[in-house]
Every structure is written in structure tokens, then in C-alpha cells.
Amino acid sequence: SQGSGAGKFLFKAAITAIKEIHPERCILELNVNRQNKAIDFYQRMGMERFRESDIPIGNGYMMNSLLMRMRI
């Protein structure tokens, strides 16, 4: 579905829902795998890279994570 506008629609709908539930200013945070090409999408939607971390997910595996955030 990439390129169809569905992701943009869903992202904006999520922001709208958050604002309805929590009308005060807040910070939305998201963990994304550092190799995920969706990082560019999230940046276009207004999210910023905040911090990198390696999170153990079991059996010796690590999630190489990028924390992204935006003020809403």
C-alpha cells in the first residue's frame, strides 16, 4: 500500500484521536527499527530522531531501535 496515501491518512487520524483524548500539548514517541525505511515517512510527517538504543528482545536478539518523537 506504499504510495497510496493510506499511511498518511492513518497517521493524521491517530494524531487527531490523540488530541481528542488528550487536548493538552504532549509528546508522541515511537520506537522504529533503525533499518526500517519508514523512518523517512515518519520524518515527513513531522517526527524527529531523538535517540538510538539497543533493546534486548529475548534469545540473545536485540532490537536496534531509533526513538522518534514529535510534539502534538
Coordinates of all heavy atoms in Angstrom, one line a residue:
S1 N 0.8 -1.2 0.0 CA 0.0 0.0 0.0 C 0.8 1.3 0.0 O 0.3 2.3 0.1 CB -0.9 0.0 1.2 OG -1.8 -1.1 1.2
Q2 N 2.2 1.1 -0.1 CA 3.0 2.3 -0.1 C 2.7 3.2 -1.3 O 2.5 2.7 -2.4 CB 4.5 1.9 0.0 CG 4.9 1.3 1.3 CD 6.4 0.9 1.3 OE1 7.0 0.8 0.2 NE2 6.9 0.7 2.5
G3 N 2.7 4.5 -1.0 CA 2.4 5.4 -2.1 C 0.9 5.7 -2.3 O 0.5 6.5 -3.1
S4 N 0.0 5.0 -1.6 CA -1.4 5.1 -1.8 C -2.0 6.3 -0.9 O -3.1 6.6 -1.1 CB -2.1 3.8 -1.5 OG -2.1 3.6 -0.1
G5 N -1.2 6.8 0.0 CA -1.7 7.8 0.9 C -2.4 7.2 2.2 O -2.8 8.0 3.1
A6 N -2.5 5.9 2.3 CA -3.1 5.2 3.4 C -2.3 5.5 4.7 O -2.9 5.8 5.7 CB -3.2 3.7 3.2
G7 N -1.0 5.4 4.7 CA -0.2 5.7 5.9 C -0.4 7.1 6.4 O -0.5 7.3 7.6
K8 N -0.3 8.1 5.5 CA -0.5 9.5 5.8 C -1.9 9.7 6.4 O -2.0 10.4 7.5 CB -0.3 10.3 4.6 CG -0.3 11.8 4.8 CD -0.1 12.6 3.6 CE 0.0 14.1 3.8 NZ 0.4 14.8 2.6
F9 N -2.9 9.1 5.8 CA -4.3 9.2 6.4 C -4.4 8.6 7.8 O -4.9 9.3 8.7 CB -5.3 8.5 5.4 CG -6.7 8.4 6.0 CD1 -7.5 9.5 5.9 CD2 -7.1 7.2 6.6 CE1 -8.8 9.4 6.4 CE2 -8.4 7.2 7.2 CZ -9.2 8.3 7.1
L10 N -3.8 7.4 8.0 CA -3.9 6.8 9.3 C -3.0 7.5 10.3 O -3.5 7.7 11.5 CB -3.4 5.3 9.2 CG -4.3 4.4 8.4 CD1 -3.6 3.1 8.2 CD2 -5.6 4.2 9.2
F11 N -1.9 8.0 9.9 CA -1.0 8.8 10.9 C -1.8 10.1 11.3 O -1.9 10.3 12.5 CB 0.3 9.2 10.2 CG 1.3 9.8 11.1 CD1 2.2 9.0 11.8 CD2 1.3 11.2 11.4 CE1 3.1 9.5 12.7 CE2 2.2 11.7 12.2 CZ 3.1 10.9 12.9
K12 N -2.4 10.8 10.4 CA -3.1 12.0 10.8 C -4.3 11.7 11.6 O -4.7 12.4 12.5 CB -3.5 12.8 9.5 CG -2.4 13.5 8.8 CD -2.8 14.3 7.6 CE -1.6 15.1 7.1 NZ -2.1 16.0 6.0
A13 N -5.0 10.5 11.3 CA -6.2 10.1 12.1 C -5.7 9.8 13.5 O -6.4 10.1 14.5 CB -6.8 8.9 11.5
A14 N -4.6 9.2 13.7 CA -4.0 8.9 15.0 C -3.8 10.2 15.8 O -4.1 10.3 17.0 CB -2.8 8.0 14.9
I15 N -3.2 11.1 15.1 CA -2.9 12.4 15.8 C -4.2 13.1 16.2 O -4.3 13.6 17.4 CB -2.1 13.4 14.9 CG1 -0.7 12.7 14.5 CG2 -1.9 14.7 15.5 CD1 0.2 12.5 15.7
T16 N -5.2 13.1 15.4 CA -6.5 13.7 15.7 C -7.1 13.0 16.9 O -7.6 13.6 17.8 CB -7.4 13.6 14.5 OG1 -6.9 14.3 13.4 CG2 -8.8 14.1 14.8
A17 N -7.0 11.6 16.9 CA -7.6 10.9 18.1 C -6.8 11.2 19.4 O -7.5 11.4 20.4 CB -7.5 9.4 17.8
I18 N -5.5 11.3 19.3 CA -4.7 11.6 20.5 C -5.1 13.0 21.0 O -5.3 13.2 22.2 CB -3.2 11.6 20.2 CG1 -2.8 10.2 19.9 CG2 -2.4 12.2 21.3 CD1 -1.4 10.0 19.4
K19 N -5.3 14.0 20.1 CA -5.7 15.3 20.5 C -7.1 15.4 21.1 O -7.3 16.2 22.1 CB -5.6 16.3 19.3 CG -4.2 16.6 18.9 CD -4.2 17.6 17.7 CE -2.8 18.0 17.3 NZ -2.8 18.9 16.2
E20 N -8.0 14.5 20.7 CA -9.3 14.5 21.3 C -9.3 13.9 22.7 O -9.9 14.3 23.6 CB -10.2 13.6 20.4 CG -10.6 14.3 19.1 CD -11.4 13.4 18.2 OE1 -11.7 12.2 18.6 OE2 -11.7 13.8 17.1
I21 N -8.4 12.9 22.9 CA -8.3 12.2 24.2 C -7.5 13.1 25.1 O -7.8 13.1 26.3 CB -7.7 10.8 24.0 CG1 -8.6 9.9 23.2 CG2 -7.3 10.2 25.4 CD1 -8.0 8.6 22.8
H22 N -6.5 13.7 24.6 CA -5.5 14.5 25.4 C -5.3 15.8 24.8 O -4.3 16.0 24.0 CB -4.2 13.7 25.5 CG -3.3 14.2 26.5 ND1 -2.5 15.3 26.3 CD2 -3.0 13.8 27.8 CE1 -1.7 15.5 27.4 NE2 -2.0 14.6 28.3
P23 N -6.2 16.8 25.0 CA -6.1 18.1 24.3 C -4.9 19.0 24.7 O -4.5 19.9 24.0 CB -7.4 18.8 24.7 CG -8.0 18.1 25.9 CD -7.4 16.7 25.9
E24 N -4.3 18.7 25.9 CA -3.1 19.5 26.2 C -1.9 19.0 25.4 O -1.9 17.9 24.8 CB -2.7 19.2 27.7 CG -3.8 19.6 28.7 CD -4.8 18.6 28.9 OE1 -4.6 17.4 28.7 OE2 -6.0 18.9 29.3
R25 N -0.9 19.9 25.2 CA 0.3 19.6 24.5 C 0.9 18.4 25.1 O 1.0 18.2 26.3 CB 1.2 20.8 24.5 CG 0.7 22.1 23.9 CD 0.8 22.1 22.4 NE 2.2 22.2 22.0 CZ 2.6 22.1 20.7 NH1 1.7 21.9 19.8 NH2 3.8 22.1 20.4
C26 N 1.4 17.5 24.2 CA 2.1 16.3 24.7 C 3.1 15.9 23.7 O 3.3 16.5 22.6 CB 1.1 15.2 25.0 SG 0.2 14.6 23.6
I27 N 3.9 14.8 24.0 CA 4.9 14.3 23.1 C 4.5 12.9 22.7 O 4.3 12.1 23.5 CB 6.3 14.3 23.7 CG1 6.7 15.8 24.0 CG2 7.3 13.7 22.8 CD1 8.0 15.9 24.8
L28 N 4.5 12.7 21.4 CA 4.3 11.3 20.8 C 5.6 10.7 20.6 O 6.5 11.3 19.9 CB 3.5 11.4 19.5 CG 3.3 10.1 18.7 CD1 2.5 9.1 19.5 CD2 2.7 10.4 17.4
E29 N 5.9 9.5 21.1 CA 7.1 8.8 20.9 C 6.9 7.5 20.2 O 5.9 6.9 20.4 CB 7.9 8.6 22.2 CG 8.3 9.9 22.8 CD 9.2 9.7 24.1 OE1 9.1 8.6 24.7 OE2 9.9 10.6 24.4
L30 N 7.8 7.1 19.4 CA 7.7 5.9 18.6 C 9.1 5.2 18.5 O 10.1 5.9 18.1 CB 7.2 6.3 17.2 CG 7.1 5.2 16.1 CD1 6.1 4.1 16.5 CD2 6.8 5.8 14.8
N31 N 9.2 3.9 18.7 CA 10.4 3.1 18.5 C 10.3 2.5 17.1 O 9.3 1.9 16.8 CB 10.5 2.0 19.5 CG 11.1 2.5 20.8 OD1 11.9 3.3 20.9 ND2 10.6 1.9 21.9
V32 N 11.3 2.8 16.3 CA 11.4 2.2 15.0 C 12.7 1.5 14.8 O 13.8 2.0 15.2 CB 11.3 3.4 13.9 CG1 11.3 2.8 12.5 CG2 10.1 4.3 14.2
N33 N 12.7 0.4 14.2 CA 14.0 -0.3 13.9 C 14.8 0.6 13.0 O 14.3 1.2 12.0 CB 13.7 -1.6 13.2 CG 15.0 -2.4 12.9 OD1 15.8 -2.1 12.1 ND2 15.2 -3.5 13.7
R34 N 16.1 0.7 13.3 CA 17.0 1.7 12.6 C 17.1 1.3 11.1 O 17.5 2.2 10.3 CB 18.4 1.7 13.2 CG 18.3 2.4 14.6 CD 19.7 2.8 15.1 NE 20.6 1.7 15.4 CZ 20.8 1.3 16.6 NH1 20.3 1.9 17.7 NH2 21.6 0.2 16.8
Q35 N 16.8 0.1 10.7 CA 16.9 -0.3 9.3 C 15.6 -0.1 8.5 O 15.5 -0.4 7.4 CB 17.4 -1.7 9.2 CG 18.7 -2.0 9.9 CD 19.8 -1.1 9.4 OE1 20.0 -0.9 8.2 NE2 20.6 -0.6 10.3
N36 N 14.5 0.3 9.2 CA 13.2 0.4 8.6 C 13.1 1.7 7.7 O 13.4 2.8 8.2 CB 12.2 0.5 9.7 CG 10.8 0.3 9.2 OD1 10.4 0.7 8.2 ND2 9.9 -0.3 10.1
K37 N 12.7 1.5 6.5 CA 12.6 2.6 5.6 C 11.5 3.5 5.9 O 11.4 4.6 5.3 CB 12.5 2.1 4.1 CG 11.3 1.3 3.8 CD 11.4 0.8 2.3 CE 10.3 -0.1 2.0 NZ 10.3 -0.5 0.6
A38 N 10.6 3.1 6.8 CA 9.5 4.0 7.3 C 10.0 5.2 8.0 O 9.3 6.2 8.2 CB 8.5 3.2 8.1
I39 N 11.3 5.2 8.4 CA 11.8 6.4 9.2 C 11.7 7.7 8.3 O 11.3 8.7 8.9 CB 13.3 6.2 9.5 CG1 13.4 5.1 10.6 CG2 14.0 7.4 10.0 CD1 14.8 4.6 10.8
D40 N 11.9 7.6 7.0 CA 11.7 8.8 6.2 C 10.3 9.2 6.2 O 10.0 10.4 6.2 CB 12.2 8.4 4.7 CG 13.7 8.2 4.6 OD1 14.4 8.8 5.4 OD2 14.1 7.5 3.7
F41 N 9.3 8.3 6.2 CA 7.9 8.6 6.2 C 7.6 9.4 7.5 O 7.0 10.4 7.5 CB 7.1 7.4 6.1 CG 5.6 7.6 6.5 CD1 4.8 8.2 5.6 CD2 5.1 7.2 7.7 CE1 3.4 8.4 6.0 CE2 3.8 7.4 8.1 CZ 3.0 8.0 7.2
Y42 N 8.1 8.8 8.6 CA 7.8 9.5 9.9 C 8.4 10.9 10.0 O 7.8 11.8 10.5 CB 8.3 8.6 11.1 CG 7.5 7.4 11.2 CD1 8.1 6.1 11.2 CD2 6.1 7.4 11.4 CE1 7.3 4.9 11.4 CE2 5.3 6.2 11.6 CZ 6.0 5.0 11.6 OH 5.3 3.9 11.7
Q43 N 9.6 11.1 9.4 CA 10.2 12.4 9.4 C 9.3 13.3 8.5 O 9.1 14.5 8.9 CB 11.6 12.3 8.9 CG 12.5 11.7 9.9 CD 14.0 11.6 9.4 OE1 14.2 11.1 8.4 NE2 14.9 12.1 10.2
R44 N 8.8 12.9 7.4 CA 8.0 13.7 6.6 C 6.7 14.1 7.3 O 6.1 15.2 7.1 CB 7.6 13.0 5.3 CG 8.8 13.0 4.3 CD 8.3 12.6 2.9 NE 7.6 11.4 2.8 CZ 8.1 10.1 2.7 NH1 9.4 10.0 2.7 NH2 7.3 9.1 2.6
M45 N 6.3 13.3 8.2 CA 5.0 13.5 9.0 C 5.3 14.4 10.2 O 4.4 14.8 10.9 CB 4.4 12.2 9.4 CG 4.0 11.3 8.3 SD 2.9 12.1 7.1 CE 1.5 12.5 8.1
G46 N 6.6 14.8 10.4 CA 6.9 15.8 11.4 C 7.6 15.2 12.6 O 8.0 15.9 13.6
M47 N 7.9 13.9 12.6 CA 8.6 13.3 13.7 C 10.1 13.6 13.6 O 10.6 13.7 12.5 CB 8.4 11.8 13.8 CG 6.9 11.5 14.1 SD 6.6 9.8 14.6 CE 7.0 10.0 16.4
E48 N 10.8 13.7 14.7 CA 12.3 13.9 14.7 C 13.0 12.7 15.4 O 12.5 12.1 16.3 CB 12.6 15.2 15.5 CG 12.0 16.4 14.9 CD 12.2 17.6 15.7 OE1 12.6 17.5 16.9 OE2 12.0 18.7 15.2
R49 N 14.2 12.4 14.9 CA 15.0 11.4 15.5 C 15.4 12.0 16.9 O 15.8 13.2 17.0 CB 16.3 11.2 14.7 CG 16.0 10.6 13.4 CD 17.3 10.6 12.6 NE 17.1 10.0 11.3 CZ 17.6 8.8 10.8 NH1 18.5 8.2 11.6 NH2 17.3 8.4 9.7
F50 N 15.3 11.2 17.9 CA 15.6 11.6 19.3 C 16.8 10.9 19.9 O 17.7 11.5 20.5 CB 14.3 11.5 20.2 CG 14.5 11.9 21.6 CD1 14.8 13.2 21.9 CD2 14.4 11.0 22.6 CE1 15.0 13.6 23.2 CE2 14.6 11.3 23.9 CZ 14.9 12.6 24.2
R51 N 16.7 9.6 19.8 CA 17.8 8.8 20.5 C 17.8 7.4 19.9 O 16.8 6.9 19.4 CB 17.5 8.7 22.0 CG 18.4 7.9 22.8 CD 18.1 7.8 24.3 NE 16.7 7.4 24.5 CZ 15.9 8.0 25.4 NH1 16.4 9.0 26.1 NH2 14.7 7.6 25.6
E52 N 19.0 6.8 19.9 CA 19.1 5.4 19.5 C 19.3 4.5 20.7 O 19.9 4.9 21.7 CB 20.3 5.2 18.5 CG 20.1 5.9 17.2 CD 21.3 5.6 16.2 OE1 22.2 4.9 16.6 OE2 21.2 6.1 15.1
S53 N 18.8 3.3 20.6 CA 19.0 2.3 21.7 C 19.0 0.9 21.2 O 18.4 0.7 20.1 CB 18.0 2.5 22.8 OG 16.7 2.2 22.3
D54 N 19.6 0.0 21.9 CA 19.6 -1.4 21.6 C 18.8 -2.1 22.7 O 19.2 -2.1 23.9 CB 21.0 -2.0 21.5 CG 21.7 -1.3 20.3 OD1 21.1 -1.1 19.3 OD2 22.9 -1.0 20.5
I55 N 17.6 -2.7 22.3 CA 16.7 -3.3 23.3 C 16.8 -4.8 23.2 O 16.5 -5.3 22.1 CB 15.3 -2.7 23.1 CG1 15.3 -1.2 23.1 CG2 14.3 -3.3 24.1 CD1 14.0 -0.6 22.6
P56 N 17.1 -5.5 24.3 CA 17.1 -7.0 24.2 C 15.6 -7.4 24.1 O 14.7 -7.0 24.8 CB 17.7 -7.4 25.6 CG 17.7 -6.2 26.5 CD 17.5 -5.0 25.6
I57 N 15.4 -8.3 23.1 CA 14.0 -8.8 22.9 C 13.9 -10.3 23.1 O 12.9 -10.9 22.8 CB 13.5 -8.4 21.5 CG1 14.5 -9.0 20.4 CG2 13.3 -6.9 21.4 CD1 14.0 -8.7 19.0
G58 N 15.0 -10.9 23.7 CA 15.0 -12.3 24.0 C 15.8 -13.2 23.2 O 16.1 -12.9 22.0
N59 N 16.2 -14.3 23.7 CA 17.0 -15.3 23.0 C 18.3 -14.7 22.4 O 18.7 -15.2 21.3 CB 16.2 -16.1 21.9 CG 15.1 -16.8 22.5 OD1 15.2 -17.4 23.6 ND2 13.9 -16.9 21.9
G60 N 18.9 -13.7 23.0 CA 20.1 -13.1 22.5 C 19.9 -12.1 21.4 O 20.9 -11.6 20.9
Y61 N 18.7 -11.8 21.0 CA 18.4 -10.9 19.9 C 18.2 -9.5 20.5 O 17.7 -9.3 21.6 CB 17.1 -11.3 19.2 CG 17.3 -12.6 18.4 CD1 16.9 -13.8 18.8 CD2 18.0 -12.5 17.1 CE1 17.0 -14.9 18.1 CE2 18.1 -13.7 16.4 CZ 17.7 -14.9 16.9 OH 17.8 -16.0 16.2
M62 N 18.6 -8.5 19.7 CA 18.4 -7.1 20.1 C 17.6 -6.4 19.0 O 17.7 -6.7 17.8 CB 19.8 -6.4 20.2 CG 20.8 -7.1 21.2 SD 20.3 -6.8 22.9 CE 20.9 -5.2 23.2
M63 N 16.8 -5.4 19.5 CA 16.1 -4.5 18.5 C 17.0 -3.3 18.5 O 17.2 -2.6 19.5 CB 14.7 -4.2 19.0 CG 14.1 -3.2 18.0 SD 12.4 -2.9 18.5 CE 12.0 -1.6 17.4
N64 N 17.5 -3.0 17.3 CA 18.3 -1.8 17.1 C 17.4 -0.7 16.8 O 16.9 -0.5 15.7 CB 19.3 -2.0 16.0 CG 20.2 -3.2 16.2 OD1 20.2 -4.2 15.5 ND2 21.0 -3.1 17.3
S65 N 17.0 0.1 17.8 CA 15.9 1.0 17.8 C 16.3 2.4 17.7 O 17.3 2.9 18.2 CB 15.1 0.8 19.1 OG 14.0 1.6 19.1
L66 N 15.4 3.2 17.0 CA 15.6 4.6 16.9 C 14.3 5.2 17.5 O 13.2 4.8 17.1 CB 15.6 5.0 15.4 CG 15.6 6.5 15.1 CD1 16.8 7.2 15.8 CD2 15.5 6.8 13.6
L67 N 14.5 6.0 18.5 CA 13.3 6.6 19.2 C 13.0 7.9 18.4 O 13.9 8.8 18.3 CB 13.6 6.9 20.7 CG 12.5 7.6 21.4 CD1 11.2 6.7 21.5 CD2 12.9 7.9 22.9
M68 N 11.8 8.1 18.0 CA 11.4 9.3 17.3 C 10.3 9.9 18.1 O 9.6 9.3 18.8 CB 10.9 8.9 15.9 CG 11.9 8.2 15.0 SD 11.4 7.9 13.3 CE 11.7 9.6 12.7
R69 N 10.2 11.3 18.0 CA 9.2 12.0 18.7 C 8.7 13.2 18.0 O 9.4 13.7 17.1 CB 9.7 12.3 20.1 CG 10.9 13.3 20.1 CD 11.4 13.8 21.4 NE 11.0 13.2 22.6 CZ 11.4 13.5 23.8 NH1 12.1 14.6 24.0 NH2 11.0 12.9 24.9
M70 N 7.5 13.6 18.4 CA 7.0 14.9 17.9 C 6.1 15.5 19.0 O 5.4 14.8 19.7 CB 6.3 14.7 16.6 CG 4.9 14.0 16.7 SD 4.2 13.8 15.0 CE 3.7 15.4 14.6
R71 N 6.0 16.8 19.1 CA 5.1 17.5 20.0 C 3.8 17.6 19.3 O 3.7 18.1 18.1 CB 5.7 18.8 20.4 CG 7.0 18.7 21.1 CD 7.4 20.1 21.7 NE 8.7 20.0 22.2 CZ 9.0 19.5 23.4 NH1 8.1 19.1 24.2 NH2 10.3 19.5 23.9
I72 N 2.7 17.3 20.0 CA 1.4 17.5 19.4 C 0.5 18.2 20.4 O 0.8 18.3 21.5 CB 0.8 16.1 19.0 CG1 0.7 15.1 20.1 CG2 1.5 15.6 17.8 CD1 -0.1 13.9 19.8

